[in-house]
Amino acid sequence: MNTTPELFTRDGHTVVRASDGTFLRVTASTTTASAADLYRQVGERLAERAAQHAAPIPGREGISLAGDPADLAALAPALSGLDATPRSPTSPDRALIVQVVAGRTQYRELDHLAAAGTGVLRCYREGDLVLIDPLMLGPEDPTGSQVLRRRIAASPAAADLNAWLDTAGEHTPGLDDLDPVALDMAGARLRQIIAAWQHNTAELPRLRRTLWMLDCATLAASEHPVLAFPEPAARPQPRSLSRP
């Protein structure tokens, strides 16, 4: 993070350009300091300002990680600098869990957490494709199970995709042997979503309804809208036809 002061004079006033593009005017009391003191004081103020700007919203500082250790190790460089710790059965979940999914049963295993206030961000690989689900923060967001069903419904080979997913955990490689550029792109997307959540940016609503897909063979990325839908009511059990 660059906090080196960029000072210049405009209309007789000393102006500072902060690293985030904001322009700040130096007060008259500060301008009486020597050049060395001025740079030091301005540099300290800019460092404090940058730290405050980068700090996540309170309560969104840390994330939990779930998945195969090799996959999590592959993502470690992309998540560096974050307060990220592996999920533990002996400690409570953080406000957000980043999950690397392996196998169909894991798509839905954390779906219940959103109702309790824990967000879930899923990432997974299917052959040469890396997919990142919409960020799930509440019951109004699509669950992992719903994303999967939407994908199957939209596929021109729905029956084949459905059958393949039943055994995908047996033959789908993980993230640890991805092409380095593809891994960097997937990691950058995860980091983008996490940052939007930590700072509640304007793009957060869109990220809660967007499935991201990377073709690792071509490095072409695409986005696909996915909306939640009301789950159908459970089918009633048929009444017995036998007489008492």
Side-chain angles (χ1 to χ4, degrees):
M1 184 179 299
N2 179 25
T3 56
T4 302
E6 295 182 50
L7 279 66
F8 61 97
T9 301
R10 185 184 66 83
D11 298 333
H13 298 285
T14 301
V15 182
V16 181
R17 182 192 182 279
S19 58
D20 63 0
T22 303
F23 292 94
L24 309 170
R25 179 173 293 188
V26 178
T27 61
S29 60
T30 306
T31 57
T32 60
S34 66
D37 286 341
L38 178 60
Y39 268 86
R40 178 183 56 79
Q41 292 177 32
V42 172
E44 291 174 353
R45 296 289 180 85
L46 289 179
E48 293 173 1
R49 187 176 183 278
Q52 292 173 355
H53 180 71
I57 293 173
R60 299 187 182 184
E61 299 89 350
I63 62 176
S64 297
L65 304 174
D68 185 272
D71 290 329
L72 298 182
L75 289 176
L79 304 179
S80 65
L82 296 176
D83 181 8
T85 57
R87 192 176 187 222
S88 169
T90 61
S91 61
D93 289 324
R94 264 56 192 278
L96 178 67
I97 299 175
V98 176
Q99 180 192 24
V100 182
V101 174
R104 186 168 187 163
T105 58
Q106 292 186 5
Y107 284 91
R108 61 177 65 90
E109 70 176 9
L110 301 183
D111 281 352
H112 65 285
L113 294 178
T118 298
V120 179
L121 179 57
R122 295 178 186 82
C123 176
Y124 44 98
R125 181 178 177 185
E126 296 178 357
D128 281 340
L129 301 177
V130 173
L131 299 98
I132 298 178
D133 278 1
L135 175 62
M136 185 178 69
L137 297 179
E140 68 275 19
D141 297 326
T143 65
S145 176
Q146 290 182 347
V147 172
L148 192 60
R149 285 143 63 192
R150 289 286 198 191
R151 288 184 56 211
I152 293 172
S155 173
D160 293 331
L161 175 60
N162 188 42
W164 179 82
L165 286 168
D166 280 337
T167 60
E170 300 176 7
H171 50 74
T172 297
L175 303 180
D176 55 314
D177 63 348
L178 271 181
D179 174 83
V181 177
L183 181 60
D184 287 345
M185 292 178 67
R189 176 67 176 191
L190 287 173
R191 192 65 180 256
Q192 174 195 9
I193 298 173
I194 294 169
W197 168 74
Q198 287 191 322
H199 299 279
N200 197 32
T201 67
E203 67 175 348
L204 186 58
R206 181 182 65 84
L207 296 174
R208 295 173 67 175
R209 58 177 185 269
T210 302
L211 171 69
W212 185 83
M213 182 183 300
L214 175 67
D215 183 339
C216 299
T218 63
L219 298 181
S222 57
E223 295 186 350
H224 309 270
V226 180
L227 299 178
F229 54 87
E231 292 288 347
R235 296 179 61 182
Q237 296 296 321
R239 291 182 297 175
S240 174
L241 297 180
S242 60
R243 294 181 181 273

